[in-house]
């Protein structure tokens, strides 16, 4: 039986399953791009159930030196780890001295609902107390999408039968940090993640706490204001507590609202942060007002996405859940990005990877371009760090983005599958191009985009060379593609593709600015010492980019891929997956096996470079050597399968990725949700089944409808238009919901939309 009933807008947990608590805490996380609260129970733990408590602030991290057994030049120096900051969700209930605990108390009809339209987590249950009272309890929580520093919670409790003395205790306390698995490189075990607690205050109905990171210089303030019930606030040694007590007779009820405010600043940026946090919290609107604002923000988002599936409620629920979470987790101020697990858990330590540009940005570019722009502005903000890193790695020009980071510094301690992933530059460049193509945002290009393109192109030009051994072609050696099971290879096809695009687009962007924004162009030339001669060099490198030649129709994803020892997947025991935690890297790297297949990714992103026949043949081959040990893999396979007409395979891959976290298919949802995969399912629908492609002002679709569905629909924004595409077995319908008329292509035919 499904863990959650298939509902279009809600994720409902009926009853309470201690075994699922940690996964559900990830699934029920709420966030707004700054604050992220895991779906922890208000009362904290439940006897017999493991919990992972978490409250995060996007971009707020602590750092510590990486300790290497053997160190060498240029290794990443510091870990950055997202902080699990003080917890303010807590609300402990006691009736006649009996403390509510789901593992012990007589609790009935327990239900939690994540409402993706309202942006709330609601909970309800009936508590039969030992003293004979029956209490009906309803709580709700939200993290305000309209106000970055605010979250809120409320509780309504009604005594249905009997009577009791009810005590409520709300607190701000340092986070209780769960220990991760020290053998799993994907989580943050073994790091000192505690914060230093500073001021603690209690005044009237307000409690507050200040914390500081040990090394990175962040000050974090949190305040909670209580309304609706008279209580008493107190500052204790290590926490701030607000308590209230009420005698309740049958029929009586209490209602309590909590406004929760978090702020973070670095290096004493704001000397009055402590006071401001308290003020913001005191002035926060009531829960109902926040609810209305929340609904309005989410309505606009859902309208922009226009997502619908007819005939598969489980899928529709999965897709909406995925979109909801990436939307919640994305930073909105140009200084914060989106972590691999969003703001739902500590997996991957809160680091941002290429996941943002390669998977998540395509979604926002076509559903919420303003948000997409902010995420790209983050890359501009960390460009100086990328320049420094390039110098450190011996590049005389250009910028090399960190493979994994929070504020721009490279945090990957394992360079073969980290720093060596030079495709990160090309991914960012590609996203800049995609964003510009879809929005024609010249202002962005002039202020940020062109400079990113130039610096990344410079890096690739410095990295590669025209190789006599390859007939004078431009080669990029000793890099790792996205596929981390083949490291430090020569001419990874995906990396060469993104670099080629980067070379061309950097020159074109500068040329465009020269014509259309001459003042910005001159400023940029002066700032970064650009000369048009560079664009000439890049064009030559692009024209001469080397790609490994096919052998019997199979394109090697790098120079030596076909020269590695075959390792048939059916000979690998099922319990040895993912390979990365069961085999030494050297075993993996010597074999012809992929974690995620780079050629397949290149074929979906640069489809025009291969024929349909080539795609078919190579899909079959790479399908047989790919483990999909990365959650980023299946969505890509689904897209190409659909393009080559293998709708059944496309459907299977799509379905395996669509509910990956809802059904905990990778058994690590407890550490946080897989943001890239979640975004990849949108792309799987829109580009895979919808066949959407856009390039240089041409928007095209080639929709197919798998027989399992009656139909589906989605909206995409492109150059100021919003287009709704509805597909069923009879064909596709295109509606222009907003913007000027546009000509698109549907299965190759021109269609005018008015
Ligand atoms: C994948 C990477 C990805 C990272 C974070 C890894 O398992 O191989 O491509 O960037 O997870 O999601």
């Amino acid at each position: 039986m499904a863990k959650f009933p298939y509902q279009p807008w809600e994720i409902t947990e009926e009853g309470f399953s201690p075994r699922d608590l940690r996964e559900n805490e990830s699934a029920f996380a709420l966030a707004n791009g700054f604050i992220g609260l895991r779906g922890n129970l208000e009362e904290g733990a439940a006897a017999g159930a493991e919990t992972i408590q978490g409250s995060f602030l996007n971009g707020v991290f602590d750092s510590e030196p990486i300790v290497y057994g053997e160190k060498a030049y240029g290794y990443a120096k510091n870990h950055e780890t997202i902080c699990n900051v003080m917890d303010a969700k807590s609300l402990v209930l006691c009736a006649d001295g009996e403390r509510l605990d789901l593992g012990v108390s007589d609790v009935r009809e327990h239900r939690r609902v994540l409402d993706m339209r309202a942006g709330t987590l609601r909970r309800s249950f009936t508590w039969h107390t030992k003293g004979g009272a029956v209490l009906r309890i309803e709580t709700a929580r939200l993290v305000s999408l309209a106000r970055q520093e605010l979250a809120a919670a409320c509780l309504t409790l009604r005594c249905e039968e009997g009577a009791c003395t009810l005590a409520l205790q709300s607190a701000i306390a340092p986070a209780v940090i769960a220990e991760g698995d020290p053998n799993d490189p994907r989580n943050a075990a073994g790091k000192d993640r505690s914060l230093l607690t500073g001021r603690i205050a209690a005044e009237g109905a307000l409690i507050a706490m200040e914390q500081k990171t040990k090394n990175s210089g962040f000050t974090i303030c949190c305040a909670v204001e209580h309304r609706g019930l008279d209580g008493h606030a107190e500052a204790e040694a290590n926490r701030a507590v607000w308590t209230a007590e009420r005698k309740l007779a049958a029929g009586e009820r209490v209602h309590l609202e909590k406004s929760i405010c978090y702020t973070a600043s670095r290096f004493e940026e704001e000397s009055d942060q402590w006071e401001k946090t308290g003020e913001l919290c005191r002035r926060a609107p009531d829960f109902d007002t926040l609810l209305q604002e929340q609904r309005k923000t989410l309505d606009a988002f859902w309208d922009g996405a226009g997502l619908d599936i007819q005939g598969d409620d489980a899928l529709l629920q999965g897709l909406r859940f995925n979109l909801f979470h990436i939307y919640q987790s994305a930073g909105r101020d140009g200084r914060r990005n989106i972590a691999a697990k969003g703001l739902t858990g500590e997996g991957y330590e809160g680091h941002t990877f290429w996941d943002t540009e390669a998977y998540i940005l395509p979604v926002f570019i076509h559903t919420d371009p303003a948000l997409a722009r902010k995420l790209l502005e983050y890359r501009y903000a960390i460009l100086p760090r990328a320049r420094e890193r390039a110098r450190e790695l011996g590049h005389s020009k250009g910028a090399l983005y960190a493979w994994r980071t929070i504020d721009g510094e490279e945090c990957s301690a394992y360079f073969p599958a980290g720093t060596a992933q030079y495709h990160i530059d090309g991914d960012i460049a590609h996203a800049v191009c995609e964003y510009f193509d879809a929005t024609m945002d010249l202002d962005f290009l002039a202020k940020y985009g062109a400079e990113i393109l130039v610096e990344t192109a410079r890096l690739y030009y410095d990295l590669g060379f025209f190789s006599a051994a390859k007939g004078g072609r431009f080669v990029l050696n000793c890099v790792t593609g996205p596929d981390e099971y083949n490291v430090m290879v020569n001419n990874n096809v995906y990396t060469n593709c993104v670099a080629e695009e980067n070379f061309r687009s950097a020159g074109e962007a500068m040329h465009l600015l020269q014509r259309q924004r001459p003042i910005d162009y001159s400023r940029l030339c002066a700032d970064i010492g650009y000369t048009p001669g560079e664009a000439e060099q890049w064009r030559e490198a692009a024209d001469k980019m080397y790609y490994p030649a096919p052998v019997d129709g199979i394109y090697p994803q790098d120079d030596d891929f076909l020269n590695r020892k075959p390792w048939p997947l059916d000979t690998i025991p099922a319990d040895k997956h993912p390979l990365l935690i069961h085999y030494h890297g050297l075993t993996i790297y010597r074999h012809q096996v992929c974690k995620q297949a780079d050629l397949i990714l290149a074929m979906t992103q640069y489809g025009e470079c291969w024929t349909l026949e080539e795609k078919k043949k190579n899909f079959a081959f790479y399908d047989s050597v790919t483990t999909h040990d990365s959650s980023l893999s299946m969505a890509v396979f689904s897209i190409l399968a659909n393009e080559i007409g293998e709708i059944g395979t496309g459907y299977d891959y799509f379905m395996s990725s669509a509910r990956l976290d809802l059904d905990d298919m990778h058994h690590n949802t407890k550490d946080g949700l897989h943001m890239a995969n979640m975004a990849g399912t949108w792309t799987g629908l829109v580009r895979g089944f919808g066949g959407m492609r856009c390039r240089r002002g041409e928007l095209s679709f080639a929709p197919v409808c798998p027989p399992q569905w009656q139909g589906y629909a989605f909206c995409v924004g492109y150059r100021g238009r919003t287009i709704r595409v509805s597909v069923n077995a009879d064909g596709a319908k295109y509606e222009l919901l907003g913007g000027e008329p546009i000509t698109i292509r549907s299965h190759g035919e021109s269609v005018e939309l008015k």
Side-chain angles (χ1 to χ4, degrees):
M1 206 186 86
K3 190 163 108 184
F4 304 112
Y6 301 145
Q7 296 165 298
W9 289 106
E10 290 169 354
I11 312 294
T12 302
E13 175 194 32
E14 294 284 2
F16 174 66
S17 159
R19 216 166 26 109
D20 296 331
L21 182 61
R22 292 176 306 174
E23 285 83 75
N24 291 354
E25 288 169 337
S26 299
F28 290 154
L30 292 174
N32 65 1
F34 175 53
I35 303 172
L37 305 180
R38 276 176 66 81
N40 302 125
L41 303 172
E42 286 83 357
E43 64 276 19
E50 283 182 68
T51 168
I52 301 178
Q53 299 282 316
S55 306
F56 309 109
L57 300 181
N58 195 0
V60 177
F61 64 91
D62 206 355
S63 60
E64 58 175 355
I66 303 178
V67 181
Y68 292 97
E70 266 178 71
K71 200 172 172 182
Y73 173 82
Y75 279 19
K77 294 186 189 64
N78 298 303
H79 279 297
E80 291 176 352
T81 304
I82 191 167
C83 297
N84 196 344
V85 301
M86 65 284 256
D87 177 75
K89 301 183 286 296
S90 126
L91 183 61
V92 172
L93 300 180
C94 289
D96 302 319
E98 178 196 353
R99 183 180 166 138
L100 174 76
D101 179 327
L102 288 193
V104 179
S105 310
D106 180 359
V107 165
R108 303 180 196 173
E109 296 150 24
H110 185 264
R111 168 188 286 173
R112 290 207 289 169
V113 182
L114 177 73
D115 184 328
M116 301 183 282
R117 258 185 311 190
T120 54
L121 177 61
R122 293 195 313 267
R123 182 181 179 200
S124 57
F125 55 96
T126 309
W127 178 17
H128 294 246
T129 73
K130 289 205 172 100
V134 178
L135 306 176
R136 179 73 192 156
I137 297 167
E138 287 174 5
T139 68
R141 181 189 295 167
L142 64 78
V143 177
S144 171
L145 289 158
R147 301 169 191 251
Q148 286 282 280
E149 290 97 353
L150 268 195
C154 74
L155 164 111
T156 306
L157 182 149
R158 195 182 126 89
C159 182
E160 310 256 290
E161 286 173 32
C164 72
T165 301
L166 178 77
L168 302 97
Q169 187 187 77
S170 156
I172 307 179
V176 178
I177 297 172
E179 261 321 305
D181 174 359
N183 295 317
D184 188 339
R186 297 165 297 182
N187 76 41
K191 314 250 160 70
D192 175 7
R193 287 174 285 152
S194 60
L195 299 172
L196 303 169
T197 297
R199 283 175 275 190
I200 299 179
E203 198 184 294
L206 187 102
I207 52 178
M209 176 179 279
E210 178 189 58
Q211 290 193 311
K212 286 184 191 288
T213 56
K214 289 187 181 134
N215 306 310
S216 57
F218 279 98
T219 301
I220 301 134
C221 295
C222 175
V224 177
E225 168 90 356
H226 301 84
R227 294 184 197 144
L229 255 185
D230 287 336
H232 169 73
E234 209 167 327
E236 297 179 355
N238 200 27
R239 56 178 207 156
V241 200
W242 174 92
T243 48
E245 202 172 278
R246 276 280 303 270
K247 284 199 186 320
L248 285 180
E252 286 184 329
R253 72 193 268 283
V254 294
H255 179 78
L256 172 70
E257 295 195 2
K258 281 172 64 163
S259 310
I260 303 168
C261 181
Y262 280 103
T263 62
S265 74
R266 212 166 162 196
F267 307 125
E268 311 295 337
E269 271 165 10
E270 294 176 44
S271 52
D272 56 350
Q273 184 191 346
W274 173 250
E275 290 74 23
K276 267 169 66 182
T277 311
E279 251 332 278
L280 263 173
C281 193
R282 279 199 189 92
R283 288 203 320 261
D286 63 11
F287 198 78
D288 268 348
T289 308
L290 290 174
L291 268 181
Q292 283 164 27
E293 291 176 356
Q294 190 85 335
R295 178 69 191 229
K296 207 166 138 206
T297 311
L298 280 164
D299 279 351
F301 173 68
W302 289 120
D303 281 353
L307 197 69
D308 196 17
I309 305 273
Q310 291 111 36
D312 191 336
D313 294 345
L315 175 63
L316 180 60
Q317 181 187 43
L319 293 179
R320 288 206 173 123
F321 176 75
N322 295 348
L323 270 190
F324 178 71
H325 273 291
I326 61 165
Y327 180 65
Q328 290 199 106
S329 283
R332 283 148 165 81
D333 65 355
R335 288 164 56 210
R336 299 163 220 279
N337 202 268
I338 176 165
K341 304 285 186 180
L343 291 165
T344 65
E346 285 181 85
Y348 287 122
E349 298 175 62
H351 291 165
T352 288
F353 294 74
W354 75 308
D355 303 33
T356 304
E357 285 74 19
Y359 287 79
I360 298 163
L361 268 169
V363 182
F364 293 139
I365 286 172
H366 297 290
T367 56
D368 191 342
L371 186 51
R373 175 173 165 151
K374 286 294 167 199
L375 292 169
L376 286 169
E377 285 179 18
Y378 160 88
R379 289 299 188 182
Y380 183 78
I382 62 168
L383 189 55
R385 303 301 285 268
R387 287 194 180 101
E388 279 169 29
R389 185 66 178 150
R391 298 304 157 270
E392 218 170 1
L393 291 199
H395 298 292
S396 58
K397 282 189 137 192
L400 177 63
Y401 281 99
W403 170 242
R404 53 190 291 175
T405 188
I406 297 179
D407 85 333
E409 180 171 354
E410 175 63 272
C411 295
S412 172
Y414 184 59
F415 74 86
T419 305
Q421 297 205 41
Y422 272 61
H423 65 91
I424 180 87
D425 270 24
D427 302 320
I428 294 168
H430 175 73
V432 168
C433 298
E434 260 194 311
Y435 171 77
F436 183 69
D437 179 54
T439 59
M440 302 305 285
D441 183 350
L442 210 52
D443 179 68
F444 168 80
L445 199 68
K447 282 194 184 129
Y448 314 111
E451 193 171 333
I452 294 176
L453 291 175
V454 166
E455 291 294 24
T456 47
R458 282 175 171 169
L459 191 282
Y460 282 130
Y461 197 73
D462 190 76
L463 167 68
F465 70 105
F466 296 95
S467 164
K470 300 277 189 198
R473 298 252 148 204
F474 193 82
V475 298
L476 294 170
N477 290 343
C478 200
V479 299
T480 300
D483 175 14
E484 294 172 357
Y485 286 176
N486 291 278
V487 303
M488 311 224 286
V489 300
N490 294 342
N491 296 306
N492 169 263
V493 67
Y494 176 77
T495 308
N496 289 20
C497 280
V498 290
E500 180 184 331
E501 182 188 18
N502 192 175
F503 282 147
R504 296 189 196 283
S505 59
E508 284 166 14
M510 291 306 283
H511 194 58
L512 185 75
L513 290 183
Q514 188 177 20
R515 280 182 287 126
Q516 300 199 7
R517 301 281 281 250
I519 298 174
D520 287 315
Y521 174 77
S522 306
R523 174 196 44 84
L524 200 52
C525 289
D527 284 356
I528 59 173
Y530 170 81
T531 59
E534 286 183 274
E536 296 291 311
Q537 292 175 331
W538 299 333
R539 188 164 337 113
E540 190 192 355
D543 290 344
K544 293 191 175 161
M545 185 62 79
Y546 174 80
Y547 293 97
V551 178
D552 294 333
I554 302 301
Y555 281 87
Q557 65 167 25
D558 61 73
D559 277 0
D560 286 318
F561 187 74
L562 298 179
N563 191 29
R564 291 190 193 111
K565 191 173 174 184
W567 194 3
L569 295 186
D570 55 13
T571 64
I572 305 175
D575 61 358
K576 294 286 187 210
H577 288 275
L579 303 186
L580 71 118
I581 56 174
H582 292 101
Y583 295 93
H584 193 281
L586 288 171
T587 308
I588 300 173
Y589 308 154
R590 287 186 190 119
H591 284 95
Q592 210 178 87
V593 67
C594 301
K595 187 180 186 194
Q596 54 215 87
D598 293 350
L599 185 82
I600 301 303
L601 179 60
M603 285 182 161
T604 59
Q605 202 159 301
Y606 302 98
E608 64 283 4
C609 304
W610 289 271
T611 65
L612 186 63
E613 281 316 307
E614 287 175 327
K615 286 177 189 165
K616 283 185 178 169
K617 185 154 191 179
N618 283 274
F619 181 88
F621 173 72
Y622 282 97
D623 200 22
S624 72
V625 295
T626 303
T627 60
H628 306 292
D629 283 350
S630 165
S631 67
L632 281 66
S633 186
M634 282 185 295
V636 173
F637 271 76
S638 162
I639 295 171
L640 195 68
N642 282 325
E643 191 185 323
I644 61 176
E646 291 198 19
I647 311 299
T649 310
Y651 176 83
D652 290 343
Y653 273 126
F654 182 71
M655 295 306 281
S656 312
S657 62
R659 292 180 55 96
L660 186 139
D661 280 307
L662 263 185
D663 297 336
D664 193 15
M665 290 160 88
H666 277 212
H667 311 293
N668 61 0
T669 291
K670 65 176 174 39
D671 299 324
L673 309 177
H674 301 77
M675 294 291 140
N677 172 70
M678 295 179 123
T681 60
W682 179 91
T683 313
L685 184 76
V686 172
R687 292 197 177 159
F689 295 103
M692 183 189 88
R693 300 287 184 273
C694 46
R695 250 185 158 192
R696 299 179 178 275
E698 274 227 5
L699 180 62
S700 61
F701 299 89
V704 289
C705 186
Q708 290 86 344
W709 309 337
Q710 281 140 32
Y712 62 93
F714 56 83
C715 287
V716 288
Y718 190 69
R719 298 199 173 182
R721 283 80 164 193
T722 305
I723 299 160
R724 183 169 169 87
V725 182
S726 319
V727 186
N728 61 25
D730 300 332
K733 188 172 112 193
Y734 304 94
E735 290 161 275
L736 185 64
L737 301 185
E740 301 283 302
I742 181 174
T743 304
I744 58 154
R745 288 186 169 271
S746 176
H747 291 288
E749 304 278 313
S750 274
V751 180
E752 280 236 31
L753 301 183
K754 291 193 180 129

